[in-house]
Amino acid sequence: MFFKKLGTIALSAVLISSLAGCGKKEGVAAEVNGVEIPIESFYKSYSASANQLVAQYGEDYLAEKEPTTQKTYKQLLGENALRDLTQIEMVKQDAEKSKITVSDEEVNKQLEAIKAQLGGQEAFNAFLKDNGLEEEFVVNNLKNQMLLSKYVETKQKELEPTEDEVKKYYEDNKDKFYTAKASHILVDNLKEANVIRKEIQKGGDFAEIAKEKSKDTGSAQNGGSLGEFKNGQMVPQFDEAIQKMKVGEISEPIQSQFGYHVIKLEEKKPAEFDAVKDQIKATLQQEKFQKYMEDLTKKSKTKNYVDPSKDFEVPEEYKNYGKSKQQEAQKESNTAVKEAEQQTNKAANKATEEVKETAEKAK
């Protein structure tokens, strides 16, 4: 969707839904603290995403199941649309209490910048047409995203940790902050990783085994060496293993999305406070913000009157919302082909009749 090009803030990652049971309320998709969200807003939000999928993969795609959740894409898009609408309403209400606002002037300035980036008003109009978007819908979403950005920035400043909090976190978590040197051997299965580990423990040369058997070809040619790295630079499972290991130790096989790692820790030095204090500050700030949003969500009274987990109907007029230029062109092409087929069939039928008539006269 257009507004996602502007950099959506993923609040859904830090918000925990507290949704009441679904009843029915005419013309209303949901309520947040008594403020109603019109059903039209749900239809537009859902359709702006759904119609893009339909344009790419066809309408049947919405009925297919996403492998991880086993929910249909229609259900997932509906859930996302409803969650986004209720969350932004909750944030807007809290922003108003905190006097965080975005003026029409700010929105218009940003909109003009976007138009200029696209190539001017005509190009912007063409963009809307190609994506089947109404300008009002785009402007509203732009304003919401600008408000979210300002809201997050303001709240995180308010929740900035003190120097004492940052130092305490460092002292309590020193093992998590380090500079290390290590080598690894990466293989596909646990059995092979265990065999390699035993071979090394019996005196096998780690570097030679890495060159021969590691599927990480980049490090294998250097005997498995990964060089020097800091905490957070490796995949989480690898990082956690290094935190617990002692210099010279050979790890148990560690599984990651790449396979099984046998790690040899060659060097590890604790990071100095000044080197990691900004990182700690950002971590604590994010944790505080997450807690703030969780508490806000728990306090908010949200009622849903649409249940995306069940089949729901979207009026035909909204199914056209988000229709792309390519879809229109395809439709016109299909119509032209159909008309050509009809003309051909008419001509063939006429020729057949003429042949029959000629044959009858010949008799």
Side-chain angles (χ1 to χ4, degrees), residues 130-346:
D130 289 351
N131 289 275
L133 296 170
E134 297 170 353
E135 185 165 350
E136 181 185 0
F137 178 80
V138 170
V139 172
N140 185 53
N141 277 290
L142 174 58
K143 187 171 185 176
N144 284 343
Q145 295 308 314
M146 291 176 70
L147 180 64
L148 283 173
S149 181
K150 191 177 282 192
Y151 177 83
V152 172
E153 184 181 352
T154 302
K155 288 299 174 187
Q156 286 192 333
K157 277 185 180 177
E158 291 174 2
L159 297 167
E160 192 171 309
T162 65
E163 185 80 4
D164 286 344
E165 287 175 319
V166 174
K167 284 180 178 176
K168 184 178 187 310
Y169 187 91
Y170 172 76
E171 292 298 331
D172 292 345
N173 298 275
K174 271 188 176 180
D175 288 345
K176 293 181 180 179
F177 304 104
Y178 59 80
T179 300
K181 286 183 180 178
S183 299
H184 81 142
I185 299 169
L186 180 64
V187 293
D188 287 320
N189 61 76
L190 179 60
K191 183 178 179 181
E192 186 179 4
N194 277 320
V195 169
I196 286 171
R197 184 172 185 267
K198 286 179 182 177
E199 186 179 347
I200 293 166
Q201 287 177 322
K202 288 179 180 178
D205 188 289
F206 191 101
E208 289 304 315
I209 296 171
K211 288 177 183 178
E212 182 185 347
K213 297 182 178 179
S214 181
K215 70 171 190 172
D216 178 7
T217 53
S219 66
Q221 61 186 351
N222 297 317
S225 176
L226 295 165
E228 187 174 271
F229 55 91
K230 296 178 180 178
N231 57 283
Q233 289 185 298
M234 299 296 180
V235 292
Q237 299 91 335
F238 198 103
D239 204 25
E240 289 167 13
I242 295 292
Q243 288 174 26
K244 299 171 186 174
M245 290 176 68
K246 296 177 181 178
V247 174
E249 189 177 351
I250 306 296
S251 74
E252 296 279 350
I254 305 298
Q255 186 180 12
S256 76
Q257 68 264 41
F258 301 107
Y260 288 85
H261 308 257
V262 176
I263 306 167
K264 179 182 178 181
L265 180 60
E266 294 150 4
E267 185 181 301
K268 185 167 71 170
K269 297 180 292 185
E272 296 295 327
F273 174 72
D274 286 343
V276 295
K277 66 179 181 180
D278 288 342
Q279 180 186 344
I280 296 172
K281 181 179 175 182
T283 298
L284 290 176
Q285 209 165 21
Q286 184 58 35
E287 287 178 359
K288 285 187 171 191
F289 179 69
Q290 181 171 333
K291 178 69 165 56
Y292 179 87
M293 295 310 300
E294 288 173 359
D295 291 343
L296 180 64
T297 306
K298 287 174 185 176
K299 288 187 290 184
S300 296
K301 294 179 181 177
T302 303
K303 291 181 182 178
N304 281 354
Y305 299 112
V306 174
D307 187 357
S309 67
K310 298 176 181 176
D311 195 29
F312 56 92
E313 288 300 320
V314 178
E316 238 9 85
E317 61 187 284
Y318 293 100
K319 289 181 182 178
N320 292 331
Y321 190 87
K323 184 176 288 185
S324 68
K325 192 175 183 180
Q326 289 80 3
Q327 282 178 288
E328 291 290 357
Q330 185 62 49
K331 184 179 178 181
E332 289 174 10
S333 175
N334 291 341
T335 301
V337 170
K338 192 172 182 180
E339 287 175 354
E341 287 176 350
Q342 288 173 345
Q343 292 297 327
T344 302
N345 289 337
K346 281 182 183 179

Side-chain angles (χ1 to χ4, degrees), residues 12-26:
S12 56
V14 298
L15 292 173
I16 298 176
S17 296
S18 57
L19 305 178
C22 292
K24 290 287 180 185
K25 194 168 185 179
E26 191 67 29

